[in-house]
């Protein structure tokens, strides 16, 4: 994971502007969900604050930026494990169970064959010419 340089003015400025844009979008969504009756002051004031500080004094945003990045790293650690666990239990495990129940095939050919003298498999024949290289599979 590439970690941004939280002490860089340009990164702090980008952070301020991105946060301002995010708060604006959230405010406009809230405004639309309330049928344009309740003005989203709770979202637009922080958006204005982040935008002004991002443009005028980005150094002021450094502590918020550092905390935001630590939160992002913690969420990254947690969500990676959640997604891998969900993928394992919803994709890998059922596939393995279906393959074990559905057939006696050994797709990796791991079974011992005591009668065989060698486990060597002959390579498939390749065609001659350019056309065989265009269709590799």
């Amino acid at each position: 994971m590439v970690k941004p340089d939280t002490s860089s003015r340009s990164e702090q400025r980008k952070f301020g502007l991105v946060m301002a844009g995010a708060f604006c979008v959230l405010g406009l969504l809230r405004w639309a969900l309330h049928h344009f009756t309740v003005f989203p002051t709770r979202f637009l004031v922080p958006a204005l604050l982040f935008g002004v500080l991002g443009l005028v004094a980005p150094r002021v945003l450094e502590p918020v930026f550092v905390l935001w990045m630590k939160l992002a790293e913690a969420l990254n650690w947690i969500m990676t494990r959640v997604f891998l666990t969900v993928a394992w239990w919803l994709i890998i495990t059922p596939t393995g169970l279906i393959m074990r129940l559905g057939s006696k095939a050994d797709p990796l050919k791991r079974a011992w064959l005591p009668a065989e003298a060698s486990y060597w498999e002959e390579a498939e024949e390749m065609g001659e010419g350019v056309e065989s290289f265009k269709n590799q599979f």
Side-chain angles (χ1 to χ4, degrees):
M1 183 171 98
V2 178
K3 294 183 181 182
D5 181 15
T6 55
S7 63
S8 166
R9 277 183 66 113
S10 65
E11 290 294 324
Q12 294 164 354
R13 178 170 284 120
K14 283 189 235 177
F15 170 70
L17 296 176
V18 166
M19 290 299 285
F23 273 110
C24 280
V25 168
L26 289 173
L28 292 174
L29 282 173
R30 178 158 193 232
W31 193 33
L33 288 174
H34 286 281
H35 305 290
F36 304 103
T37 56
V38 179
F39 192 73
T41 310
R42 284 189 230 154
F43 288 101
L44 296 181
V45 169
L48 183 66
L49 183 67
F50 272 109
V52 169
L53 287 175
L55 290 173
V56 176
R59 294 270 183 224
V60 176
L61 293 175
E62 184 174 7
V64 179
F65 189 26
V66 169
L67 286 173
W68 189 259
M69 286 295 109
K70 287 185 181 187
L71 175 68
E73 288 175 10
L75 287 174
N76 176 28
W77 189 87
I78 292 167
M79 292 310 294
T80 299
R81 276 123 187 106
V82 167
F83 285 138
L84 287 175
T85 302
V86 167
W88 179 266
W89 289 107
L90 293 181
I91 298 170
I92 307 296
T93 302
T95 303
L97 290 174
I98 290 169
M99 287 182 69
R100 286 182 186 170
L101 293 173
S103 68
K104 300 291 183 194
D106 187 12
L108 296 178
K109 299 180 182 173
R110 296 175 298 162
W112 289 99
L113 303 174
E116 297 292 325
S118 172
Y119 289 97
W120 180 264
E121 292 182 8
E122 293 294 326
E124 294 178 12
E125 288 293 323
M126 291 219 23
E128 304 247 347
V130 177
E131 291 301 316
S132 66
F133 290 105
K134 288 182 180 177
N135 187 12
Q136 294 184 15
F137 300 102

